[in-house]
Amino acid sequence: MTIRFAHLSDIHFGGENQAAVAAAADHVNNGQFDLVIVSGDLTRYGEKPEFEAAAEWLASLKGPKLVTPGNHDAPYIAVAERIFTPFHRFEQAIGPARAQSHLGGGFAVRGVNTARGAQPRLNWSKGQIAAGQVREATAWFRRAPAECFRILVCHHPLMEMIGGPMTARVWGGPAAARAFAEARVDLVLSGHIHAPFTWPYPFGDGKTYAVGAGTLSIRERGVPPGFNVVEIEGAAIRVAALGWGGSHYEPYRTWSLDRRPV
């Protein structure tokens, strides 16, 4: 049996690549995916019309979906709202912001919000994950059946992508990555840096992999707009980063990863 996920991120409605976004919806709807995962930054500035467009687009996608927020999903201009109720708009339009989960079909997926509306540092857009969030997620994975493939979803890469076009600087990120590796999470999916990547965490058995998706916005950072297709079959994990060429999607990069024994 093959399990297939579509992993999209950083669509930034209000600044989206309209052709790429429309074609991504067609690709997803024709792809027979077991789950569609969106790892944050659905909007550009967290404005209500942007959320309305995002919600309409998500509703057009077939099948189950798991969506976690990103830093751009807290209002950028409404400063008081960003500080005191940063994800109220997200929750009204999209769904739960703090955590999301999907269990069934041989896989367990948990979303964790690493975005904050304000932080005690100048760049509040960087990531943060609290120890309590890590404990909740690892406890949830422990309750899942042992044979399930385990995926953690967050917006910011918990550890920096070497040579990436920007940083995430997640407070608590390396400790969280270690905890998820020790909990035998298979994949940690993220976005934020607008560039696809995979690499193994240097913890545990070395078979917990960070996987980043690109962007579907006009804010490209050296790679074409695109998203990931993840397939799990037996002992193999295949990740294909699809790139938008202006008329269709084609593989931009592909990776083959080793799944740990069940």
Side-chain angles (χ1 to χ4, degrees):
M1 180 184 72
T2 301
I3 301 172
R4 304 183 77 237
F5 305 102
H7 172 207
L8 308 101
S9 196
D10 296 81
I11 303 157
H12 291 293
F13 278 97
E16 77 276 22
N17 183 316
Q18 295 181 358
V21 168
D26 290 340
H27 191 101
V28 167
N29 287 335
N30 291 320
Q32 297 182 319
F33 291 101
D34 295 284
L35 183 66
V36 178
I37 297 169
V38 184
S39 56
D41 277 5
L42 279 82
T43 67
R44 178 174 55 174
Y45 295 128
E47 294 295 304
K48 291 179 181 179
E50 296 170 358
F51 276 119
E52 291 169 0
E56 182 178 357
W57 182 76
L58 287 170
S60 76
L61 303 182
K62 296 178 181 178
K65 293 172 280 288
L66 185 144
V67 185
T68 194
N71 53 283
H72 277 265
D73 298 320
Y76 266 49
I77 299 171
V79 177
E81 189 175 348
R82 169 159 58 82
I83 293 172
F84 295 108
T85 56
F87 299 106
H88 177 68
R89 296 181 184 185
F90 179 94
E91 291 184 323
Q92 282 192 316
I94 308 300
R98 188 175 188 276
Q100 311 81 32
S101 60
H102 181 97
L103 179 62
F107 54 93
V109 186
R110 181 75 171 183
V112 175
N113 186 5
T114 57
R116 300 292 188 268
Q119 297 184 62
R121 55 175 164 174
L122 287 177
N123 193 340
W124 58 270
S125 71
K126 300 299 183 183
Q128 185 176 153
I129 185 167
Q133 290 179 289
V134 176
R135 286 193 298 270
E136 285 183 12
T138 54
W140 185 84
F141 281 118
R142 282 197 297 272
R143 294 192 295 270
E147 67 274 12
C148 279
F149 189 83
R150 287 161 160 73
I151 297 177
L152 189 286
V153 183
C154 54
H155 178 62
H156 300 81
L158 297 178
M159 297 181 67
E160 300 299 338
M161 173 192 171
I162 298 172
M166 65 178 293
T167 62
R169 293 179 182 166
V170 178
W171 282 354
R178 180 185 291 275
F180 293 137
E182 292 173 351
R184 297 176 67 82
V185 171
D186 295 288
L187 301 179
V188 177
L189 306 185
S190 64
H192 188 63
I193 66 172
H194 292 203
F197 68 89
T198 70
W199 67 282
Y201 285 153
F203 307 120
D205 60 5
K207 293 188 181 298
T208 295
Y209 298 94
V211 177
T215 181
L216 289 175
S217 76
I218 59 175
R219 298 180 65 191
E220 299 173 24
R221 295 195 176 103
V223 296
F227 62 96
N228 291 346
V229 171
V230 182
E231 296 184 339
I232 298 97
E233 184 175 13
I237 305 169
R238 296 184 293 270
V239 180
L242 303 184
W244 174 244
S247 62
H248 63 281
Y249 281 100
E250 59 185 20
Y252 172 74
R253 289 198 63 182
T254 59
W255 297 269
S256 295
L257 314 176
D258 294 327
R259 182 181 179 182
R260 64 167 53 90
V262 178

